[in-house]
Amino acid sequence: MELLIGEPLALDLLNTRTRDHDVLDTPGDFQTWLARQAGRLDPPSGPLTPDGLAAVRRLRGHVEAALDAVRAGEPPPAAALAAINEAARAAPAHRVLEWRDGGPRVRAERDGDATAALLALLAEAAIDLLADPAAGRVRGCEGPGCRLVFLPAHPRRRWCSPDLCGNRVRVARHYRRRKET
């Protein structure tokens, strides 16, 4: 299972569903995805329950609906915005000042349970993306059957990954040319 990781976090969330696989179908797959997001997203303590996974899937659907609308130059559906805002509101962040190693340390802490905190982080990532003018530049991979999305750093980027879909397209084009001759 190849996943596109390293895009803005909200896009990585959308990319948890590929042509052949949905990372949110099993807690183990989702834990692996969370581990690959190290440094960007603190995993919840312990695996998510089936209800927790279902909540992440619902949030992903709302983020997808909102982003699709923004990409089309339209306002996001009110239901999607309400769901994203509700998820962000469910576990508000606050800063905590600690004194460690002889000096101050500031860290963010969230109210709410682990699932609510995770949903709030993902919702805030979606809010950041949707509020960014770059959201209109998000593209879908042009690879056959690929549903991954990305924010191109270069305007000529066409595929989620040159090694995945880009290579598949080039190989198919090569075989098609050879077959024609």
Side-chain angles (χ1 to χ4, degrees):
M1 160 188 61
E2 287 291 331
L3 292 175
L4 182 59
I5 299 286
E7 294 295 327
L9 184 57
L11 295 182
D12 277 3
L13 174 63
L14 296 180
N15 289 335
T16 57
R17 184 174 50 217
T18 67
R19 163 179 49 197
D20 305 319
H21 186 72
D22 189 341
V23 169
L24 297 178
D25 280 345
T26 65
D29 286 348
F30 188 60
Q31 288 298 127
T32 300
W33 181 83
L34 286 171
R36 291 186 67 193
Q37 297 294 339
R40 296 183 356 157
L41 189 62
D42 292 328
S45 55
L48 281 178
T49 65
D51 288 343
L53 282 173
V56 175
R57 271 193 300 277
R58 282 191 302 275
L59 178 63
R60 178 182 64 188
H62 291 298
V63 172
E64 185 172 36
L67 182 62
D68 287 348
V70 168
R71 289 175 60 202
E74 300 189 9
L81 292 179
I84 292 167
N85 288 329
E86 179 59 33
R89 189 174 27 255
H94 56 274
R95 295 172 53 164
V96 175
L97 176 63
E98 300 175 324
W99 219 259
R100 287 190 185 172
D101 302 324
R105 298 279 187 255
V106 177
R107 65 181 170 82
E109 203 170 271
R110 291 195 175 270
D111 293 334
D113 64 23
T115 300
L118 174 63
L119 290 169
L121 285 167
L122 294 171
E124 288 175 358
I127 290 167
D128 290 342
L129 176 68
L130 293 166
D132 189 330
R137 292 194 338 258
V138 170
R139 297 172 102 181
C141 180
E142 293 180 18
C146 187
R147 64 176 332 276
L148 301 181
V149 291
F150 57 89
L151 183 60
H154 189 281
R156 292 180 55 203
R157 183 175 173 191
R158 299 173 52 198
W159 304 297
C160 59
S161 166
D163 297 332
L164 296 174
C165 288
N167 191 51
R168 287 182 191 128
V169 169
R170 287 189 293 275
V171 167
R173 187 172 37 217
H174 171 76
Y175 283 121
R176 195 171 47 248
R177 283 184 193 146
R178 288 194 50 133
K179 189 176 179 180
E180 290 172 357
T181 59

